Amino acid sequence: MCDLTGMPIAAASQRTAAMTKNHLKRNEEDAKTSTAPGYKMLRAMQDGGSASPTELKAINDDLRKYVQTLTKETREAGVIMLKKERAIKELAAQVEGRRRSVTNTLQLFNDIRVKDREVRERKAELRAILEEHERLDVLIDSAAVAKAGSSAAIMDRDLSFVKQRIAECLDEERRQQDRVSKAQEYRLSILNRRV
């Protein structure tokens, strides 16, 4: 059987054990050589309490300073963390705003594509209508040319029809006037006989 690295499990266990030993050894060396107040106190206690009261007081003062420094750094870290949180929230709001802008822009692009497609369809319809009109114009022109030869005969026929209608209208008017004048003459003759 092998671990995730492909090494046999027994070899992996040996390697892990060796790494743990090295780590502990490094921590012990750090504790012996460190000048941090906590390590000084540990070394003084490990020596069997052989530290003098002045050394202990110095260690105690160092520990107080160390605690004050840690407290100050903790407060500063809290302030920094709040600033970072605020900055992250602002960035998140900006990202959300940009996301909405991108979404709106994409929606507008989609709307433009739809309108472009509609325009292309309308242009195709318009082209078809124009082609139909051109075809009909050609038919009308050819029909007009064919009728141009017979138009003089049509005009003569129409002229004779108009003259005939005028004559009929005039005859009708004359007949009515004749009737009116005959009626007036008849009344005059009756009046003359009475007188």
Side-chain angles (χ1 to χ4, degrees):
M1 299 193 73
C2 297
D3 67 352
L4 294 175
T5 61
M7 295 178 68
I9 291 179
S13 300
Q14 290 173 359
R15 192 181 68 187
T16 305
M19 287 173 56
T20 306
K21 280 182 188 176
N22 287 339
H23 184 64
L24 291 173
K25 193 174 183 183
R26 257 187 267 125
N27 283 347
E28 286 174 14
E29 289 172 6
D30 287 345
K32 288 178 187 173
T33 60
S34 178
T35 59
Y39 286 121
K40 287 181 185 176
M41 179 73 117
L42 283 174
R43 280 196 302 273
M45 290 169 61
Q46 285 175 352
D47 291 341
S50 62
S52 68
T54 53
E55 286 179 343
L56 289 176
K57 186 177 178 196
I59 292 172
N60 194 17
D61 289 340
D62 286 345
L63 282 175
R64 268 196 211 115
K65 288 178 186 174
Y66 189 65
V67 168
Q68 287 174 352
T69 305
L70 285 177
T71 306
K72 181 181 173 187
E73 287 178 359
T74 304
R75 261 188 260 120
E76 289 174 356
V79 169
I80 290 170
M81 197 179 326
L82 288 174
K83 287 180 181 178
K84 286 183 178 181
E85 284 178 9
R86 203 173 307 128
I88 288 171
K89 287 178 182 176
E90 289 174 4
L91 288 173
Q94 288 178 359
V95 165
E96 185 59 32
R98 296 248 171 110
R99 235 182 237 137
R100 273 189 248 113
S101 298
V102 167
T103 303
N104 290 341
T105 304
L106 292 176
Q107 182 62 39
L108 290 173
F109 280 138
N110 286 339
D111 292 346
I112 288 170
R113 280 190 223 119
V114 168
K115 295 295 180 190
D116 283 345
R117 188 181 69 229
E118 289 175 1
V119 166
R120 282 193 306 271
E121 289 172 358
R122 295 288 153 75
K123 282 183 179 179
E125 290 173 9
L126 183 62
R127 264 188 251 114
I129 290 170
L130 289 174
E131 288 172 2
E132 180 67 19
H133 279 281
E134 286 177 15
R135 188 180 66 77
L136 291 175
D137 284 344
V138 168
L139 288 175
I140 290 171
D141 289 342
S142 63
V145 168
K147 286 184 178 181
S150 63
S151 64
I154 292 172
M155 289 175 75
D156 288 340
R157 188 182 67 205
D158 288 344
L159 183 62
S160 64
F161 175 75
V162 169
K163 285 181 180 179
Q164 183 183 1
R165 287 293 293 160
I166 290 172
E168 288 173 5
C169 287
L170 289 175
D171 287 343
E172 184 67 31
E173 285 291 323
R174 282 189 202 129
R175 280 188 220 126
Q176 285 179 357
Q177 287 177 358
D178 288 342
R179 281 190 221 129
V180 169
S181 61
K182 285 182 184 179
Q184 286 176 352
E185 286 176 8
Y186 178 72
R187 282 189 204 130
L188 281 175
S189 65
I190 290 177
L191 283 174
N192 284 332
R193 280 188 224 158
R194 285 185 193 171
V195 181

